[in-house]
Amino acid sequence: MDDTKKKKVILDVDTGSDDAVAIMLAAMSKELDILGITVTWGNRPVDNCVENTLRVLELLGKEKEIPVYRGCPQPMVRYLTKQRNAALEKDGISIVEDGVEYSVHPAYLNLPKAAAKAQTKHACSFLIETLLASEEKVTVIPVGPPTNIGMAFRMEPAIAEHIEEVVFMGGAVDM
């Protein structure tokens, strides 16, 4: 598919196992043009999530094509729901037995440490600048907590006019 026909998207992630799969699917899609990936604190602290994002992109050989932007290191509303406290001592997503951690979202994905680095621009600045500069509307895909997107909207509400749609991943079991 011609790049001009591809849907322009920005992924917003808190990369653990589920977001790794989302990144892989999007990065390998012939229908999507990923303008960048913004990273926030979600299942793990933002620095872990940035490293995991870079590890996935390097696994795919896409680290030079898809820029990664470190975003908000703290949540906007995380502590309003008791289940979303992954960065605390007892995180609810891991158990430790005999000194071994078993987790749905390990601190680091079992991939080689990334050589690539995140961009120096903050994720919210990237979102605002990219959306305002885009000649066509962009689809925003938050697959983690939408802290970066919420903060970007607070900083520059005019970005709404440049967004085609926001596609959320969400859901819960036994909540």
Side-chain angles (χ1 to χ4, degrees), residues 60-78:
L60 300 172
K62 301 279 188 179
E63 71 277 9
K64 293 180 181 159
E65 296 172 41
I66 302 172
V68 174
Y69 299 87
R70 183 183 189 278
C72 296
Q74 296 291 321
M76 289 174 73
V77 297
R78 176 183 210 120

Side-chain angles (χ1 to χ4, degrees), residues 109-163:
L109 296 174
N110 189 17
L111 294 170
K113 186 172 171 34
K117 302 291 181 210
Q119 304 296 306
T120 56
K121 184 180 291 185
H122 192 277
C124 294
S125 296
F126 165 76
L127 283 163
I128 293 166
E129 291 171 16
T130 301
L131 290 167
L132 292 177
S134 182
E135 293 181 14
E136 61 187 87
K137 291 191 175 194
V138 176
T139 296
V140 178
I141 307 172
V143 293
T147 305
N148 291 330
I149 296 164
M151 191 59 67
F153 271 110
R154 290 179 84 176
M155 293 167 65
E156 181 51 77
I159 64 174
E161 298 301 318
H162 300 269
I163 296 174

Side-chain angles (χ1 to χ4, degrees), residues 5-37:
K5 304 279 190 237
K6 289 183 174 185
K7 179 184 280 280
K8 295 194 178 305
V9 302
I10 296 172
L11 300 178
D12 186 60
V13 301
D14 65 333
T15 304
S17 54
D18 55 341
D19 291 21
V21 173
I23 292 167
M24 288 187 277
L25 288 169
M28 300 310 289
S29 172
K30 296 191 183 320
E31 298 175 9
L32 301 178
D33 177 13
I34 303 173
L35 302 177
I37 299 176

Side-chain angles (χ1 to χ4, degrees), residues 91-117:
D91 63 27
I93 62 171
S94 304
I95 60 169
V96 177
E97 291 185 6
D98 298 325
V100 178
E101 179 185 25
Y102 300 94
S103 181
V104 173
H105 299 293
Y108 294 103
L109 296 174
N110 189 17
L111 294 170
K113 186 172 171 34
K117 302 291 181 210

